[in-house]
Amino acid sequence: MSSLLQGKTALVLGIANKWSIAYAIAEAFRREGATVILTYQGERLQRSLEDIGQTLGAAKVFQCDVSKDDDLANLVNTLGPEFPKIDIVVHSIAFANGEDLSRPFVQTSRDGFKLALEVSAWSLVGVANAVRPLMTDGGSIMTLTYLGAQRVLENYNVMGVAKAALESATRYLAGDLGAANIRVNAISAGPIKTAAARGIKDFSKILDAVAAKAPLRRNCTTAEVADTAVFLASDLGRGVTGNTIFVDAGYQIMGL
Ligand code: 0WD
């Protein structure tokens, strides 16, 4: 074990199972000596998240559905007494209706648009605002985004619009919170086979296309995303805020 995050406490939102990107991030944080706290969306995930918490040696596991104001308000009440200082927040959450990821983007409904933007983009703002009273010694907030924020990618649709809002929110939050020495960044991961990815039609074709074209001639792994998260969370990343960092085997630089 090395110790890049020794003495730091991290709140990690968005583990659904051991394939989740947030799982790899929590695992890497533990490897680097951080105290890790996990949240899960709802009762559906409680049992498995408690098991995952044990496996990872998490200090606490509790529910936080970012679409519920009460759950966001409870973050500070639940954390404060035991963990008065939070140094790192990982937001690894996204959701859109299945039909909005399969029919043409032009047919996105008002409600589908609101839902995707609220859960996948506004929630970063809600979480940052809820946790910042505990980030008394500065810290690092990070979120996960995807190339579909910046380019038109088939079937990514409203999620691309939500990711664009998320990346913009990252910059505005960085602007607001920098004075408190809180850094806010996004990691733009290449495609990785997770539960969320299964919601994207023809996802395995995307994996094949990226592996064929990316400079590194392969897809990226959750472990690679997690090591970039360690960098951003640690003092090594102390000069970096408001950025979107690509961890995608280089795919995004390629033209035709
Ligand atoms: O290729 C990929 N897998 C990429 C994912 C490439 C680039 C970025 N990302 C992003 C996703 O868009 C997301 O923001 O990474 C983040 C994590 O996604 P993941 O690890 O790929 O997917 P998953 O393991 O499904 O975790 C996302 C979780 C949800 O999982 P399920 O499968 O249960 O929908 O987000 C959580 C939930 O646990 N989530 C919520 N958490 C709290 N409150 C909520 C909510 N309302 N809605 C979804």
mmCIF file of all heavy atoms in Angstrom, residues 13-17 19-22 39-42 44-45 64-68 91-95 119-120 143-147 156 159 163 166 187-197 203, ligand 1:
data_model
loop_
_atom_site.group_PDB
_atom_site.id
_atom_site.type_symbol
_atom_site.label_atom_id
_atom_site.label_comp_id
_atom_site.label_asym_id
_atom_site.label_seq_id
_atom_site.Cartn_x
_atom_site.Cartn_y
_atom_site.Cartn_z
ATOM 1 N N LEU A 13 -20.002 8.378 -4.201
ATOM 2 C CA LEU A 13 -21.401 8.138 -4.556
ATOM 3 C C LEU A 13 -21.465 7.472 -5.925
ATOM 4 O O LEU A 13 -20.837 7.949 -6.876
ATOM 5 C CB LEU A 13 -22.169 9.457 -4.641
ATOM 6 C CG LEU A 13 -22.218 10.344 -3.409
ATOM 7 C CD1 LEU A 13 -21.168 11.444 -3.490
ATOM 8 C CD2 LEU A 13 -23.593 10.979 -3.260
ATOM 9 N N GLY A 14 -22.214 6.369 -6.025
ATOM 10 C CA GLY A 14 -22.468 5.807 -7.358
ATOM 11 C C GLY A 14 -21.927 4.413 -7.600
ATOM 12 O O GLY A 14 -21.781 4.017 -8.749
ATOM 13 N N ILE A 15 -21.646 3.653 -6.525
ATOM 14 C CA ILE A 15 -21.321 2.243 -6.766
ATOM 15 C C ILE A 15 -22.637 1.483 -6.880
ATOM 16 O O ILE A 15 -23.502 1.583 -6.006
ATOM 17 C CB ILE A 15 -20.480 1.632 -5.617
ATOM 18 C CG1 ILE A 15 -19.143 2.364 -5.488
ATOM 19 C CG2 ILE A 15 -20.243 0.131 -5.865
ATOM 20 C CD1 ILE A 15 -18.230 1.795 -4.405
ATOM 21 N N ALA A 16 -22.784 0.719 -7.966
ATOM 22 C CA ALA A 16 -23.940 -0.173 -8.101
ATOM 23 C C ALA A 16 -23.509 -1.619 -7.881
ATOM 24 O O ALA A 16 -24.247 -2.420 -7.322
ATOM 25 C CB ALA A 16 -24.570 -0.005 -9.478
ATOM 26 N N ASN A 17 -22.286 -1.940 -8.310
ATOM 27 C CA ASN A 17 -21.765 -3.301 -8.166
ATOM 28 C C ASN A 17 -20.245 -3.259 -8.364
ATOM 29 O O ASN A 17 -19.682 -2.172 -8.558
ATOM 30 C CB ASN A 17 -22.428 -4.249 -9.187
ATOM 31 C CG ASN A 17 -22.333 -3.684 -10.596
ATOM 32 O OD1 ASN A 17 -21.257 -3.310 -11.042
ATOM 33 N ND2 ASN A 17 -23.465 -3.597 -11.286
ATOM 34 N N TRP A 19 -18.452 -3.916 -10.787
ATOM 35 C CA TRP A 19 -17.997 -3.454 -12.104
ATOM 36 C C TRP A 19 -18.095 -1.939 -12.234
ATOM 37 O O TRP A 19 -17.617 -1.366 -13.206
ATOM 38 C CB TRP A 19 -18.797 -4.141 -13.217
ATOM 39 C CG TRP A 19 -18.519 -5.603 -13.268
ATOM 40 C CD1 TRP A 19 -17.422 -6.206 -13.848
ATOM 41 C CD2 TRP A 19 -19.300 -6.649 -12.689
ATOM 42 N NE1 TRP A 19 -17.502 -7.558 -13.652
ATOM 43 C CE2 TRP A 19 -18.641 -7.866 -12.961
ATOM 44 C CE3 TRP A 19 -20.500 -6.679 -11.979
ATOM 45 C CZ2 TRP A 19 -19.138 -9.095 -12.531
ATOM 46 C CZ3 TRP A 19 -20.994 -7.904 -11.550
ATOM 47 C CH2 TRP A 19 -20.319 -9.093 -11.835
ATOM 48 N N SER A 20 -18.740 -1.287 -11.283
ATOM 49 C CA SER A 20 -18.904 0.168 -11.362
ATOM 50 C C SER A 20 -17.549 0.869 -11.355
ATOM 51 O O SER A 20 -16.621 0.446 -10.654
ATOM 52 C CB SER A 20 -19.688 0.684 -10.145
ATOM 53 O OG SER A 20 -20.991 0.161 -10.121
ATOM 54 N N ILE A 21 -17.481 1.977 -12.085
ATOM 55 C CA ILE A 21 -16.252 2.776 -12.086
ATOM 56 C C ILE A 21 -15.958 3.249 -10.658
ATOM 57 O O ILE A 21 -14.813 3.237 -10.206
ATOM 58 C CB ILE A 21 -16.388 3.976 -13.053
ATOM 59 C CG1 ILE A 21 -16.512 3.454 -14.499
ATOM 60 C CG2 ILE A 21 -15.210 4.923 -12.922
ATOM 61 C CD1 ILE A 21 -16.842 4.532 -15.534
ATOM 62 N N ALA A 22 -17.009 3.620 -9.931
ATOM 63 C CA ALA A 22 -16.816 4.112 -8.561
ATOM 64 C C ALA A 22 -16.240 3.031 -7.638
ATOM 65 O O ALA A 22 -15.552 3.350 -6.662
ATOM 66 C CB ALA A 22 -18.136 4.645 -8.002
ATOM 67 N N THR A 39 -22.047 5.620 -0.591
ATOM 68 C CA THR A 39 -23.502 5.744 -0.559
ATOM 69 C C THR A 39 -24.098 4.915 -1.694
ATOM 70 O O THR A 39 -23.432 4.641 -2.690
ATOM 71 C CB THR A 39 -23.989 7.197 -0.714
ATOM 72 O OG1 THR A 39 -23.721 7.642 -2.044
ATOM 73 C CG2 THR A 39 -23.329 8.127 0.291
ATOM 74 N N TYR A 40 -25.352 4.512 -1.506
ATOM 75 C CA TYR A 40 -26.065 3.779 -2.543
ATOM 76 C C TYR A 40 -27.399 4.471 -2.785
ATOM 77 O O TYR A 40 -27.899 5.206 -1.927
ATOM 78 C CB TYR A 40 -26.258 2.299 -2.142
ATOM 79 C CG TYR A 40 -26.942 2.114 -0.812
ATOM 80 C CD1 TYR A 40 -28.327 2.076 -0.723
ATOM 81 C CD2 TYR A 40 -26.203 2.015 0.363
ATOM 82 C CE1 TYR A 40 -28.958 1.926 0.498
ATOM 83 C CE2 TYR A 40 -26.825 1.871 1.592
ATOM 84 C CZ TYR A 40 -28.205 1.830 1.650
ATOM 85 O OH TYR A 40 -28.826 1.697 2.857
ATOM 86 N N GLN A 41 -27.969 4.180 -3.970
ATOM 87 C CA GLN A 41 -29.156 4.934 -4.384
ATOM 88 C C GLN A 41 -30.403 4.615 -3.577
ATOM 89 O O GLN A 41 -31.162 5.519 -3.229
ATOM 90 C CB GLN A 41 -29.413 4.666 -5.866
ATOM 91 C CG GLN A 41 -30.615 5.415 -6.404
ATOM 92 C CD GLN A 41 -30.963 4.984 -7.812
ATOM 93 O OE1 GLN A 41 -30.258 4.188 -8.418
ATOM 94 N NE2 GLN A 41 -32.054 5.506 -8.322
ATOM 95 N N GLY A 42 -30.655 3.319 -3.327
ATOM 96 C CA GLY A 42 -31.900 2.963 -2.643
ATOM 97 C C GLY A 42 -31.858 1.557 -2.092
ATOM 98 O O GLY A 42 -30.853 0.855 -2.258
ATOM 99 N N ARG A 44 -32.958 -1.206 -2.975
ATOM 100 C CA ARG A 44 -32.594 -2.220 -3.967
ATOM 101 C C ARG A 44 -31.097 -2.591 -3.860
ATOM 102 O O ARG A 44 -30.704 -3.732 -4.058
ATOM 103 C CB ARG A 44 -32.915 -1.607 -5.342
ATOM 104 C CG ARG A 44 -32.379 -2.262 -6.557
ATOM 105 C CD ARG A 44 -32.861 -1.485 -7.808
ATOM 106 N NE ARG A 44 -32.195 -0.197 -8.002
ATOM 107 C CZ ARG A 44 -31.118 -0.028 -8.776
ATOM 108 N NH1 ARG A 44 -30.585 -1.042 -9.406
ATOM 109 N NH2 ARG A 44 -30.586 1.172 -8.916
ATOM 110 N N LEU A 45 -30.270 -1.609 -3.527
ATOM 111 C CA LEU A 45 -28.821 -1.836 -3.531
ATOM 112 C C LEU A 45 -28.229 -2.005 -2.130
ATOM 113 O O LEU A 45 -27.034 -2.256 -1.991
ATOM 114 C CB LEU A 45 -28.118 -0.659 -4.224
ATOM 115 C CG LEU A 45 -28.366 -0.513 -5.731
ATOM 116 C CD1 LEU A 45 -27.753 0.786 -6.247
ATOM 117 C CD2 LEU A 45 -27.762 -1.694 -6.490
ATOM 118 N N CYS A 64 -28.075 7.455 -0.265
ATOM 119 C CA CYS A 64 -28.266 8.827 -0.733
ATOM 120 C C CYS A 64 -28.778 8.777 -2.168
ATOM 121 O O CYS A 64 -28.011 8.522 -3.100
ATOM 122 C CB CYS A 64 -26.967 9.635 -0.658
ATOM 123 S SG CYS A 64 -27.204 11.327 -1.264
ATOM 124 N N ASP A 65 -30.066 8.995 -2.314
ATOM 125 C CA ASP A 65 -30.661 9.104 -3.650
ATOM 126 C C ASP A 65 -30.612 10.584 -4.007
ATOM 127 O O ASP A 65 -31.292 11.404 -3.376
ATOM 128 C CB ASP A 65 -32.106 8.586 -3.615
ATOM 129 C CG ASP A 65 -32.771 8.646 -4.988
ATOM 130 O OD1 ASP A 65 -32.352 9.466 -5.829
ATOM 131 O OD2 ASP A 65 -33.722 7.868 -5.207
ATOM 132 N N VAL A 66 -29.823 10.926 -5.018
ATOM 133 C CA VAL A 66 -29.604 12.351 -5.313
ATOM 134 C C VAL A 66 -30.841 13.041 -5.871
ATOM 135 O O VAL A 66 -30.850 14.264 -6.010
ATOM 136 C CB VAL A 66 -28.409 12.558 -6.277
ATOM 137 C CG1 VAL A 66 -27.105 12.147 -5.617
ATOM 138 C CG2 VAL A 66 -28.611 11.826 -7.606
ATOM 139 N N SER A 67 -31.881 12.267 -6.181
ATOM 140 C CA SER A 67 -33.106 12.929 -6.635
ATOM 141 C C SER A 67 -34.010 13.298 -5.456
ATOM 142 O O SER A 67 -35.076 13.863 -5.649
ATOM 143 C CB SER A 67 -33.852 12.050 -7.645
ATOM 144 O OG SER A 67 -34.276 10.862 -7.025
ATOM 145 N N LYS A 68 -33.563 12.968 -4.219
ATOM 146 C CA LYS A 68 -34.368 13.296 -3.025
ATOM 147 C C LYS A 68 -33.698 14.394 -2.201
ATOM 148 O O LYS A 68 -32.575 14.211 -1.699
ATOM 149 C CB LYS A 68 -34.539 12.044 -2.157
ATOM 150 C CG LYS A 68 -35.354 10.954 -2.834
ATOM 151 C CD LYS A 68 -35.592 9.793 -1.892
ATOM 152 C CE LYS A 68 -36.488 8.757 -2.545
ATOM 153 N NZ LYS A 68 -36.259 7.412 -2.017
ATOM 154 N N HIS A 91 -18.456 11.831 -7.525
ATOM 155 C CA HIS A 91 -19.829 11.773 -8.037
ATOM 156 C C HIS A 91 -19.773 10.910 -9.301
ATOM 157 O O HIS A 91 -19.194 11.304 -10.320
ATOM 158 C CB HIS A 91 -20.274 13.207 -8.347
ATOM 159 C CG HIS A 91 -21.566 13.322 -9.097
ATOM 160 N ND1 HIS A 91 -21.658 13.148 -10.466
ATOM 161 C CD2 HIS A 91 -22.824 13.605 -8.680
ATOM 162 C CE1 HIS A 91 -22.909 13.331 -10.848
ATOM 163 N NE2 HIS A 91 -23.632 13.607 -9.791
ATOM 164 N N SER A 92 -20.350 9.709 -9.226
ATOM 165 C CA SER A 92 -20.257 8.757 -10.342
ATOM 166 C C SER A 92 -21.663 8.243 -10.660
ATOM 167 O O SER A 92 -21.941 7.048 -10.585
ATOM 168 C CB SER A 92 -19.307 7.624 -9.941
ATOM 169 O OG SER A 92 -19.078 6.755 -11.020
ATOM 170 N N ILE A 93 -22.523 9.183 -10.993
ATOM 171 C CA ILE A 93 -23.973 8.939 -11.062
ATOM 172 C C ILE A 93 -24.531 9.458 -12.377
ATOM 173 O O ILE A 93 -24.208 10.575 -12.790
ATOM 174 C CB ILE A 93 -24.654 9.673 -9.880
ATOM 175 C CG1 ILE A 93 -24.326 8.963 -8.570
ATOM 176 C CG2 ILE A 93 -26.151 9.800 -10.093
ATOM 177 C CD1 ILE A 93 -24.767 9.720 -7.337
ATOM 178 N N ALA A 94 -25.353 8.668 -13.015
ATOM 179 C CA ALA A 94 -26.054 9.136 -14.214
ATOM 180 C C ALA A 94 -27.307 8.290 -14.418
ATOM 181 O O ALA A 94 -27.328 7.118 -14.037
ATOM 182 C CB ALA A 94 -25.152 9.015 -15.442
ATOM 183 N N PHE A 95 -28.309 8.901 -15.009
ATOM 184 C CA PHE A 95 -29.508 8.132 -15.361
ATOM 185 C C PHE A 95 -30.307 8.845 -16.454
ATOM 186 O O PHE A 95 -30.439 10.064 -16.441
ATOM 187 C CB PHE A 95 -30.422 7.918 -14.138
ATOM 188 C CG PHE A 95 -31.564 6.986 -14.448
ATOM 189 C CD1 PHE A 95 -31.353 5.623 -14.536
ATOM 190 C CD2 PHE A 95 -32.842 7.486 -14.713
ATOM 191 C CE1 PHE A 95 -32.388 4.752 -14.870
ATOM 192 C CE2 PHE A 95 -33.885 6.623 -15.043
ATOM 193 C CZ PHE A 95 -33.655 5.250 -15.114
ATOM 194 N N VAL A 119 -30.712 14.158 -12.633
ATOM 195 C CA VAL A 119 -29.949 13.094 -11.950
ATOM 196 C C VAL A 119 -28.475 13.132 -12.361
ATOM 197 O O VAL A 119 -27.592 12.889 -11.535
ATOM 198 C CB VAL A 119 -30.556 11.702 -12.242
ATOM 199 C CG1 VAL A 119 -29.687 10.605 -11.646
ATOM 200 C CG2 VAL A 119 -31.977 11.612 -11.701
ATOM 201 N N SER A 120 -28.202 13.427 -13.625
ATOM 202 C CA SER A 120 -26.836 13.266 -14.132
ATOM 203 C C SER A 120 -25.995 14.539 -14.052
ATOM 204 O O SER A 120 -24.770 14.462 -14.113
ATOM 205 C CB SER A 120 -26.882 12.792 -15.592
ATOM 206 O OG SER A 120 -27.826 11.754 -15.757
ATOM 207 N N THR A 143 -16.190 14.250 -10.888
ATOM 208 C CA THR A 143 -17.333 13.567 -11.483
ATOM 209 C C THR A 143 -16.869 12.798 -12.709
ATOM 210 O O THR A 143 -15.742 12.956 -13.168
ATOM 211 C CB THR A 143 -18.437 14.592 -11.842
ATOM 212 O OG1 THR A 143 -19.600 13.896 -12.276
ATOM 213 C CG2 THR A 143 -18.002 15.533 -12.944
ATOM 214 N N LEU A 144 -17.759 11.955 -13.229
ATOM 215 C CA LEU A 144 -17.430 11.136 -14.393
ATOM 216 C C LEU A 144 -18.248 11.596 -15.582
ATOM 217 O O LEU A 144 -19.476 11.736 -15.480
ATOM 218 C CB LEU A 144 -17.760 9.665 -14.089
ATOM 219 C CG LEU A 144 -16.702 8.796 -13.404
ATOM 220 C CD1 LEU A 144 -15.443 8.687 -14.288
ATOM 221 C CD2 LEU A 144 -16.316 9.319 -12.039
ATOM 222 N N THR A 145 -17.568 11.828 -16.720
ATOM 223 C CA THR A 145 -18.271 12.263 -17.909
ATOM 224 C C THR A 145 -17.843 11.414 -19.092
ATOM 225 O O THR A 145 -17.077 10.460 -18.954
ATOM 226 C CB THR A 145 -18.039 13.773 -18.141
ATOM 227 O OG1 THR A 145 -18.825 14.196 -19.247
ATOM 228 C CG2 THR A 145 -16.581 14.100 -18.412
ATOM 229 N N TYR A 146 -18.372 11.766 -20.274
ATOM 230 C CA TYR A 146 -18.100 10.954 -21.465
ATOM 231 C C TYR A 146 -18.028 11.860 -22.693
ATOM 232 O O TYR A 146 -18.663 12.926 -22.741
ATOM 233 C CB TYR A 146 -19.197 9.893 -21.622
ATOM 234 C CG TYR A 146 -18.972 8.938 -22.771
ATOM 235 C CD1 TYR A 146 -17.770 8.244 -22.908
ATOM 236 C CD2 TYR A 146 -19.959 8.730 -23.731
ATOM 237 C CE1 TYR A 146 -17.571 7.371 -23.967
ATOM 238 C CE2 TYR A 146 -19.764 7.853 -24.788
ATOM 239 C CZ TYR A 146 -18.562 7.187 -24.901
ATOM 240 O OH TYR A 146 -18.363 6.324 -25.961
ATOM 241 N N LEU A 147 -17.293 11.418 -23.679
ATOM 242 C CA LEU A 147 -17.083 12.155 -24.929
ATOM 243 C C LEU A 147 -18.382 12.620 -25.589
ATOM 244 O O LEU A 147 -18.401 13.632 -26.298
ATOM 245 C CB LEU A 147 -16.294 11.239 -25.888
ATOM 246 C CG LEU A 147 -15.894 11.776 -27.249
ATOM 247 C CD1 LEU A 147 -14.970 12.983 -27.113
ATOM 248 C CD2 LEU A 147 -15.214 10.681 -28.070
ATOM 249 N N TYR A 156 -26.306 8.067 -27.654
ATOM 250 C CA TYR A 156 -25.992 8.675 -26.355
ATOM 251 C C TYR A 156 -26.995 9.792 -26.038
ATOM 252 O O TYR A 156 -27.307 10.064 -24.884
ATOM 253 C CB TYR A 156 -24.546 9.171 -26.332
ATOM 254 C CG TYR A 156 -23.985 9.238 -24.936
ATOM 255 C CD1 TYR A 156 -23.919 8.110 -24.129
ATOM 256 C CD2 TYR A 156 -23.537 10.446 -24.407
ATOM 257 C CE1 TYR A 156 -23.425 8.170 -22.842
ATOM 258 C CE2 TYR A 156 -23.034 10.509 -23.116
ATOM 259 C CZ TYR A 156 -22.984 9.376 -22.348
ATOM 260 O OH TYR A 156 -22.500 9.452 -21.062
ATOM 261 N N MET A 159 -28.255 11.870 -22.844
ATOM 262 C CA MET A 159 -27.163 11.746 -21.873
ATOM 263 C C MET A 159 -25.969 12.613 -22.285
ATOM 264 O O MET A 159 -25.259 13.141 -21.436
ATOM 265 C CB MET A 159 -26.759 10.269 -21.732
ATOM 266 C CG MET A 159 -25.813 10.005 -20.596
ATOM 267 S SD MET A 159 -26.411 10.614 -19.002
ATOM 268 C CE MET A 159 -27.483 9.280 -18.565
ATOM 269 N N LYS A 163 -24.301 15.363 -19.975
ATOM 270 C CA LYS A 163 -22.853 15.389 -19.694
ATOM 271 C C LYS A 163 -22.252 16.752 -20.046
ATOM 272 O O LYS A 163 -21.322 17.214 -19.387
ATOM 273 C CB LYS A 163 -22.131 14.270 -20.447
ATOM 274 C CG LYS A 163 -22.474 12.861 -19.965
ATOM 275 C CD LYS A 163 -22.111 12.631 -18.504
ATOM 276 C CE LYS A 163 -22.183 11.165 -18.134
ATOM 277 N NZ LYS A 163 -22.092 10.955 -16.665
ATOM 278 N N LEU A 166 -23.034 18.788 -17.220
ATOM 279 C CA LEU A 166 -22.187 18.358 -16.093
ATOM 280 C C LEU A 166 -20.786 18.970 -16.212
ATOM 281 O O LEU A 166 -20.220 19.456 -15.223
ATOM 282 C CB LEU A 166 -22.104 16.827 -16.091
ATOM 283 C CG LEU A 166 -21.269 16.184 -14.996
ATOM 284 C CD1 LEU A 166 -21.949 16.325 -13.634
ATOM 285 C CD2 LEU A 166 -21.025 14.699 -15.302
ATOM 286 N N ILE A 187 -13.600 13.548 -14.960
ATOM 287 C CA ILE A 187 -12.805 12.556 -15.695
ATOM 288 C C ILE A 187 -13.680 12.052 -16.834
ATOM 289 O O ILE A 187 -14.782 11.548 -16.592
ATOM 290 C CB ILE A 187 -12.398 11.372 -14.797
ATOM 291 C CG1 ILE A 187 -11.551 11.849 -13.622
ATOM 292 C CG2 ILE A 187 -11.653 10.315 -15.616
ATOM 293 C CD1 ILE A 187 -11.216 10.737 -12.619
ATOM 294 N N SER A 188 -13.217 12.210 -18.063
ATOM 295 C CA SER A 188 -13.965 11.697 -19.204
ATOM 296 C C SER A 188 -13.399 10.316 -19.532
ATOM 297 O O SER A 188 -12.340 10.189 -20.147
ATOM 298 C CB SER A 188 -13.850 12.648 -20.401
ATOM 299 O OG SER A 188 -14.714 12.214 -21.430
ATOM 300 N N ALA A 189 -14.124 9.301 -19.105
ATOM 301 C CA ALA A 189 -13.660 7.915 -19.283
ATOM 302 C C ALA A 189 -14.041 7.420 -20.665
ATOM 303 O O ALA A 189 -15.075 7.805 -21.214
ATOM 304 C CB ALA A 189 -14.293 7.029 -18.213
ATOM 305 N N GLY A 190 -13.204 6.565 -21.219
ATOM 306 C CA GLY A 190 -13.594 5.856 -22.434
ATOM 307 C C GLY A 190 -14.696 4.864 -22.097
ATOM 308 O O GLY A 190 -15.036 4.674 -20.922
ATOM 309 N N PRO A 191 -15.279 4.222 -23.102
ATOM 310 C CA PRO A 191 -16.358 3.262 -22.820
ATOM 311 C C PRO A 191 -15.868 2.054 -22.022
ATOM 312 O O PRO A 191 -14.817 1.507 -22.309
ATOM 313 C CB PRO A 191 -16.821 2.848 -24.220
ATOM 314 C CG PRO A 191 -15.710 3.191 -25.132
ATOM 315 C CD PRO A 191 -14.986 4.349 -24.531
ATOM 316 N N ILE A 192 -16.638 1.697 -21.017
ATOM 317 C CA ILE A 192 -16.300 0.559 -20.140
ATOM 318 C C ILE A 192 -17.590 -0.219 -19.899
ATOM 319 O O ILE A 192 -18.637 0.388 -19.621
ATOM 320 C CB ILE A 192 -15.724 1.064 -18.794
ATOM 321 C CG1 ILE A 192 -14.425 1.838 -19.017
ATOM 322 C CG2 ILE A 192 -15.492 -0.101 -17.835
ATOM 323 C CD1 ILE A 192 -13.895 2.534 -17.770
ATOM 324 N N LYS A 193 -17.491 -1.536 -19.969
ATOM 325 C CA LYS A 193 -18.702 -2.365 -19.809
ATOM 326 C C LYS A 193 -19.167 -2.369 -18.352
ATOM 327 O O LYS A 193 -18.591 -3.054 -17.510
ATOM 328 C CB LYS A 193 -18.390 -3.791 -20.258
ATOM 329 C CG LYS A 193 -19.530 -4.459 -20.969
ATOM 330 C CD LYS A 193 -19.150 -5.824 -21.467
ATOM 331 C CE LYS A 193 -19.743 -6.079 -22.830
ATOM 332 N NZ LYS A 193 -19.231 -7.284 -23.458
ATOM 333 N N THR A 194 -20.182 -1.583 -18.045
ATOM 334 C CA THR A 194 -20.771 -1.542 -16.693
ATOM 335 C C THR A 194 -22.291 -1.613 -16.861
ATOM 336 O O THR A 194 -22.787 -1.601 -17.990
ATOM 337 C CB THR A 194 -20.438 -0.203 -15.993
ATOM 338 O OG1 THR A 194 -21.038 0.837 -16.767
ATOM 339 C CG2 THR A 194 -18.946 0.049 -15.864
ATOM 340 N N ALA A 195 -23.013 -1.615 -15.745
ATOM 341 C CA ALA A 195 -24.482 -1.651 -15.824
ATOM 342 C C ALA A 195 -25.015 -0.445 -16.599
ATOM 343 O O ALA A 195 -25.909 -0.567 -17.433
ATOM 344 C CB ALA A 195 -25.071 -1.705 -14.419
ATOM 345 N N ALA A 196 -24.459 0.736 -16.313
ATOM 346 C CA ALA A 196 -24.922 1.949 -17.001
ATOM 347 C C ALA A 196 -24.680 1.821 -18.510
ATOM 348 O O ALA A 196 -25.520 2.216 -19.315
ATOM 349 C CB ALA A 196 -24.205 3.179 -16.454
ATOM 350 N N ALA A 197 -23.542 1.249 -18.870
ATOM 351 C CA ALA A 197 -23.203 1.136 -20.294
ATOM 352 C C ALA A 197 -24.156 0.182 -21.011
ATOM 353 O O ALA A 197 -24.442 0.372 -22.200
ATOM 354 C CB ALA A 197 -21.763 0.652 -20.439
ATOM 355 N N PHE A 203 -23.568 -1.161 -27.467
ATOM 356 C CA PHE A 203 -22.381 -0.725 -26.728
ATOM 357 C C PHE A 203 -21.130 -1.520 -27.121
ATOM 358 O O PHE A 203 -20.026 -0.971 -27.175
ATOM 359 C CB PHE A 203 -22.636 -0.830 -25.216
ATOM 360 C CG PHE A 203 -21.553 -0.199 -24.408
ATOM 361 C CD1 PHE A 203 -21.465 1.177 -24.310
ATOM 362 C CD2 PHE A 203 -20.603 -0.970 -23.771
ATOM 363 C CE1 PHE A 203 -20.456 1.780 -23.579
ATOM 364 C CE2 PHE A 203 -19.582 -0.376 -23.039
ATOM 365 C CZ PHE A 203 -19.517 1.000 -22.940
HETATM 366 O O1 0WD B 1 -18.624 3.487 -20.410
HETATM 367 C C1 0WD B 1 -18.933 3.822 -19.266
HETATM 368 N N1 0WD B 1 -19.367 2.935 -18.380
HETATM 369 C C2 0WD B 1 -18.780 5.252 -18.867
HETATM 370 C C3 0WD B 1 -19.417 5.740 -17.764
HETATM 371 C C4 0WD B 1 -17.937 6.108 -19.729
HETATM 372 C C5 0WD B 1 -17.831 7.454 -19.258
HETATM 373 C C6 0WD B 1 -18.504 7.915 -18.162
HETATM 374 N N2 0WD B 1 -19.306 7.054 -17.448
HETATM 375 C C7 0WD B 1 -20.010 7.600 -16.300
HETATM 376 C C8 0WD B 1 -21.497 7.325 -16.225
HETATM 377 O O2 0WD B 1 -22.238 8.152 -17.093
HETATM 378 C C9 0WD B 1 -21.753 7.649 -14.757
HETATM 379 O O3 0WD B 1 -21.832 9.051 -14.578
HETATM 380 O O4 0WD B 1 -19.494 7.055 -15.119
HETATM 381 C C10 0WD B 1 -20.475 7.138 -14.088
HETATM 382 C C11 0WD B 1 -20.603 5.782 -13.436
HETATM 383 O O5 0WD B 1 -21.131 4.881 -14.349
HETATM 384 P P1 0WD B 1 -20.786 3.313 -14.377
HETATM 385 O O6 0WD B 1 -19.829 2.964 -13.326
HETATM 386 O O7 0WD B 1 -20.476 3.020 -15.799
HETATM 387 O O8 0WD B 1 -22.219 2.657 -14.131
HETATM 388 P P2 0WD B 1 -22.965 2.014 -12.887
HETATM 389 O O9 0WD B 1 -22.139 0.959 -12.283
HETATM 390 O O10 0WD B 1 -24.316 1.606 -13.409
HETATM 391 O O11 0WD B 1 -23.141 3.215 -11.870
HETATM 392 C C12 0WD B 1 -23.995 4.306 -12.094
HETATM 393 C C13 0WD B 1 -24.894 4.418 -10.894
HETATM 394 C C14 0WD B 1 -26.245 3.727 -10.907
HETATM 395 O O12 0WD B 1 -26.208 2.462 -11.234
HETATM 396 P P3 0WD B 1 -27.557 1.695 -11.759
HETATM 397 O O13 0WD B 1 -26.922 0.685 -12.628
HETATM 398 O O14 0WD B 1 -28.136 1.207 -10.476
HETATM 399 O O15 0WD B 1 -28.413 2.681 -12.530
HETATM 400 O O16 0WD B 1 -25.421 5.690 -10.679
HETATM 401 C C15 0WD B 1 -26.282 5.528 -9.545
HETATM 402 C C16 0WD B 1 -26.744 4.110 -9.518
HETATM 403 O O17 0WD B 1 -26.168 3.414 -8.461
HETATM 404 N N3 0WD B 1 -27.473 6.334 -9.581
HETATM 405 C C17 0WD B 1 -27.863 7.060 -8.529
HETATM 406 N N4 0WD B 1 -27.310 7.235 -7.302
HETATM 407 C C18 0WD B 1 -27.975 8.012 -6.436
HETATM 408 N N5 0WD B 1 -29.134 8.622 -6.722
HETATM 409 C C19 0WD B 1 -29.074 7.665 -8.909
HETATM 410 C C20 0WD B 1 -29.716 8.476 -7.935
HETATM 411 N N6 0WD B 1 -30.878 9.096 -8.189
HETATM 412 N N7 0WD B 1 -29.368 7.282 -10.187
HETATM 413 C C21 0WD B 1 -28.379 6.481 -10.581
#
